[in-house]
Amino acid sequence: MKKTALTLVTGALLAGLAFAGSAFAQDYPTKPITVVVPFAAGGPTDTVARLVAEVMSQDLGQQVVVQNVGGAGGTLGAGQVATAANDGYTLLLHHIGMSTAPTLYRSLPYDPTTDFAPIGLITSVPMTLVAKKDFEPNTLEELITYVKANGENVTYAHAGIGSASQLCGMLFMEAVDTQMTTVPYQGSGPAMTDIIGGQIDMICDQTTNTTSQIQAGEVKAYGVTSSQRLANLPDLPTTAEGGLNLEIGVWHGLYAPAGTDAAIITRLETALQAALVNETVVSRFAELGTYPVTAAEATPDALAQTLASQIELWRAVIEAAGVYAD
Ligand code: ASP
C-alpha cells in the first residue's frame, strides 16, 4: 500500500518536472546564448561562427554571443561545453577536430558522441597550403622538393593537436615522408598573423582564413585540398594536380550539451537552418571558398552520423601515423 502511494507521488513529481521542462522549452530563449568556438578569435572557425550567430540571433530574438576558448587543439573549449548546463544557453561550434580528438587524445575528458546533443552540420571548408610570401618554393612541386630537402628547418604552424591545420600538416608530412618543425597556436588566426609577418614558414588552413590573404598577395599559395579548383581562386591548383594525395574538407557542426531538451534542440535547428539560407551568409561563405550544407544536413541526425563515421575514418589514419597528443 505504502509502496503504491510512493509510486504515485514519484510519478506525479516526475510528470510535474517534465511539464516544467517543456514549459521552459516553449519560452526558450529568454536570455543571450553563448556559442563557444574552441579556437582564438579571427580564425576560420570564428569567422563561420560569427556569420551564423548573427542570423541565429535575429531568428531567436536573443543575442547569440561567440566566446573564444582556444587551447589544446580545440579540446579545452569542447570540454567546457561538455560539462556546461544543458539548458540551451551554452553551445559549441566545432569542426572536424571533434572526430579526431578521441584518437589523438588517449585521455580525452569528454566523449564527443555521448556528451553532446548534435544540432546540425554547417559547412565543409577546403584547406589551402600557404606560406610566407618570400618563401623560396613557387609551386606545389617545388614546395615538396624544398620540404624534403630542408626537413625540420621548415616551420609549420598549426592550431594545436586536434586542429584541422595539425591534421592537414600531419597528412602532408606523411605524403612527403618528411618531418617539419611544428609550432602550435591557440587558433590559426594568430598563426596567420605570424605567417604574414614572416616568423613562420607555412600552414595548411581553411579557405575561410586564407582566401583574402592569397588574393591580396600577402601569402604564397600552393594548392587547395578540394577535388575541384575554387571559383574565386581559379589559378590555385588542387593538391591532386600537384601530385599530392591530400584531399580534405573541414566540416563544422553545432552542438549543445547532452540531455538538452528536444524542443530546444529543434528550436536551435530551425535557427541554424535560417542562417544557412541567409543571403549574407551564403554570399560571404562563397567569397571564402565554401557553401552552407543543405537543409537535410543541418539536422541532428546528419551531424550524429557524420561525427560517428568521421571518428572511425580518422581513427584508422591517426593510428597508422602514430601521432598522439598524450
Ligand atoms: N583553422 C584552425 C584549425 O586548424 C582553427 C581555427 O582557428 O579556426 O583547426
Side-chain angles (χ1 to χ4, degrees):
M1 190 67 184
K2 259 188 191 160
K3 205 172 181 188
T4 314
L6 186 68
T7 311
L8 282 174
V9 171
T10 313
L13 234 159
L14 286 176
L17 281 176
F19 175 74
S22 64
F24 163 79
Q26 269 166 25
D27 292 342
Y28 173 85
T30 56
K31 60 178 186 180
I33 297 166
T34 297
V35 173
V36 170
V37 166
F39 297 106
T45 314
D46 182 66
T47 297
V48 167
R50 284 176 198 274
L51 282 166
V52 168
E54 171 74 31
V55 185
M56 286 184 72
S57 297
Q58 291 157 21
D59 191 82
L60 292 161
Q62 285 290 341
Q63 281 290 99
V64 177
V65 182
V66 172
Q67 187 191 354
N68 300 89
V69 183
T75 60
L76 275 187
Q80 188 169 305
V81 178
T83 55
N86 54 9
D87 55 7
Y89 292 100
T90 307
L91 309 178
L92 172 71
L93 194 153
H94 201 351
H95 64 23
I96 193 166
M98 200 66 167
S99 64
T100 56
T103 312
L104 288 168
Y105 290 79
R106 285 168 290 196
S107 53
L108 194 66
Y110 59 87
D111 182 335
T113 55
T114 55
D115 289 338
F116 295 88
I119 297 165
L121 285 160
I122 299 170
T123 181
S124 179
V125 185
M127 303 191 84
T128 45
L129 278 160
V130 300
K132 59 185 183 185
K133 62 173 181 263
D134 59 355
F135 202 40
E136 201 177 300
N138 287 314
T139 63
L140 185 52
E141 289 84 346
E142 285 178 25
L143 177 71
I144 294 168
T145 309
Y146 184 90
V147 168
K148 283 184 175 203
N150 291 279
E152 288 182 347
N153 290 325
V154 180
T155 48
Y156 178 89
H158 65 63
I161 296 188
S163 66
S165 42
Q166 178 260 330
L167 183 66
C168 187
M170 180 190 88
L171 297 174
F172 177 74
M173 288 187 269
E174 276 222 309
V176 301
D177 196 20
T178 307
Q179 286 303 307
M180 298 181 278
T181 297
T182 55
V183 184
Y185 287 78
Q186 296 225 336
S188 49
M192 181 56 77
T193 306
D194 280 2
I195 303 249
I196 292 170
Q199 290 97 324
I200 294 280
D201 292 330
M202 60 177 288
I203 190 171
C204 175
D205 201 21
Q206 289 112 293
T207 55
T208 29
N209 196 37
T210 59
T211 302
S212 356
Q213 283 82 359
I214 295 170
Q215 286 166 338
E218 284 181 308
V219 294
K220 206 177 257 190
Y222 300 98
V224 60
T225 66
S226 46
S227 57
Q228 307 286 325
R229 289 191 182 205
L230 302 178
N232 52 354
L233 293 170
D235 298 332
L236 188 64
T238 66
T239 38
E241 282 177 71
L244 201 59
N245 179 18
L246 179 55
E247 202 179 305
I248 181 172
V250 181
W251 54 274
H252 294 71
L254 186 64
Y255 308 80
T260 303
D261 191 293
I264 291 178
I265 297 294
T266 303
R267 182 67 192 91
L268 290 165
E269 180 190 353
T270 307
L272 175 63
Q273 300 236 355
L276 298 186
V277 292
N278 175 272
E279 243 175 68
T280 310
V281 171
V282 174
S283 67
R284 190 70 190 120
F285 271 17
E287 282 165 11
L288 297 172
T290 187
Y291 300 93
V293 297
T294 62
E297 292 167 310
T299 60
D301 277 357
L303 177 54
Q305 277 169 30
T306 298
L307 178 62
S309 65
Q310 288 272 302
I311 287 174
E312 289 316 311
L313 186 143
W314 292 115
R315 172 172 294 130
V317 176
I318 293 162
E319 283 178 356
V323 175
Y324 298 101
D326 45 10

